[in-house]
Amino acid sequence: MTPRLRLQPEAVGMGMTSQRVRDRLIDRLRDGTHGGGGITDERVLNAIRTVPRHLFVDEALATRAYEDTALPIGHGQTISQPWVVAKMTEALYADGRQPAKVLEVGTGSGYQATILAALGIEVFTVERIGELLRVARKRFRSLGLNVRSKHDDGRIGWPEEAPFDGIVVTAAAPALVDALTAQLAPGGILVAPVGAPGGQVLACLRARADGSIERTDLAPVSFVPLLSGVLG
Ligand code: SAH
């Protein structure tokens, strides 16, 4: 799939944000030295190679944008580690599926939503912190992406737009949120970190056509908490 990104010359970047530095990140995602294994889906690797992650962090952190680590984005939140973004995205393509419409809970910097949009997916994303969402929306606009977003408590999902082929939750709750699972289309996949801090796993739920749900745990992870209510 051709990424639908409008890349400005400055977005292509030089120095620490050069293509060589990005390619090194792709090698690292591929190599499988992570606890949860290497990333093999070329579509996902290509999206990560193409999307300029340094545009999703503060300028002061831009030189670290192609390290495989989570980075602070303000308000006590983080942009997820690239390997985690890749793993969650790859999970949506399990068993030859082609997700067309995906809900993300926790827009944060807008990076995960942009990766999904670059794959040609119709993206709906919900964020509870208004200030983060405003900045993320500017990024979507400047990259020419048509990502739908709303300022709300994402634990209720986006019922008016359900069902979704995929749901990606980028903040951790002690248990899976039933309201979200209920918004999966038959055959749909939900990926979410679950568990207490220090003991979270990345859970992958598949909704079968008969309405039953199958769960697989992909890897140990560490996410910020899924919180209730909204902030300005
Ligand atoms: N996907 C983001 C990761 C952001 S960290 C990225 O690519 O940058 C998780 C985000 O989830 C934070 O911005 C946090 O404010 C948000 N969040 C936490 N609880 C939420 C909720 N109930 N509804 C919506 N967003 C929530």
Side-chain angles (χ1 to χ4, degrees), residues 77-78 104 106-109 112 127-129 132 153-154 170 227:
Q77 307 304 319
T78 54
E104 179 195 30
T107 315
S109 67
Q112 169 81 70
E127 171 57 54
R128 65 182 286 275
I129 301 179
L132 287 177
D153 182 340
T170 69
L227 301 172

Side-chain angles (χ1 to χ4, degrees), residues 81 83-84 87 172 192-194 196-203 218-223:
Q81 179 191 352
W83 180 81
V84 168
K87 193 74 183 169
V194 188
Q200 298 169 9
V201 291
L202 191 58
L218 300 178
V221 285
S222 176
F223 275 79

Side-chain angles (χ1 to χ4, degrees), residues 15-106:
M16 285 309 289
T17 59
S18 71
Q19 198 58 52
R20 193 168 48 83
V21 174
R22 294 188 206 181
D23 288 345
R24 212 180 296 148
L25 170 62
I26 301 306
D27 292 342
R28 171 150 174 79
L29 298 183
R30 243 190 245 282
D31 76 13
T33 54
H34 298 270
I39 305 299
T40 55
D41 192 310
E42 291 300 326
R43 295 164 294 192
V44 174
L45 290 167
N46 200 38
I48 293 200
R49 189 186 288 110
T50 312
V51 172
R53 188 168 182 257
H54 65 277
L55 301 183
F56 293 81
V57 295
D58 221 64
E59 246 174 90
L61 289 171
T63 55
R64 300 193 53 201
Y66 299 95
E67 292 175 15
D68 190 22
T69 53
L71 293 169
I73 55 171
H75 304 268
Q77 307 304 319
T78 54
I79 179 173
S80 305
Q81 179 191 352
W83 180 81
V84 168
V85 172
K87 193 74 183 169
M88 293 180 95
T89 308
E90 187 176 64
L92 301 177
Y93 287 88
D95 305 331
R97 286 175 172 82
Q98 284 286 342
K101 185 178 181 183
V102 170
L103 172 71
E104 179 195 30
V105 175

Side-chain angles (χ1 to χ4, degrees), residues 167-209:
I167 300 180
V168 172
V169 185
T170 69
L176 288 159
V177 180
D178 290 341
L180 294 175
T181 314
Q183 290 176 29
L184 278 181
I189 293 186
L190 177 145
V191 199
V194 188
Q200 298 169 9
V201 291
L202 191 58
C204 178
L205 299 191
R206 298 181 198 195
R208 292 219 194 83

Side-chain angles (χ1 to χ4, degrees), residues 114-137:
T114 299
I115 293 290
L116 296 170
L119 284 156
I121 294 170
E122 186 183 8
V123 184
F124 295 79
T125 183
V126 188
E127 171 57 54
R128 65 182 286 275
I129 301 179
E131 246 177 86
L132 287 177
L133 187 57
R134 278 191 286 280
V135 178
R137 281 176 173 157

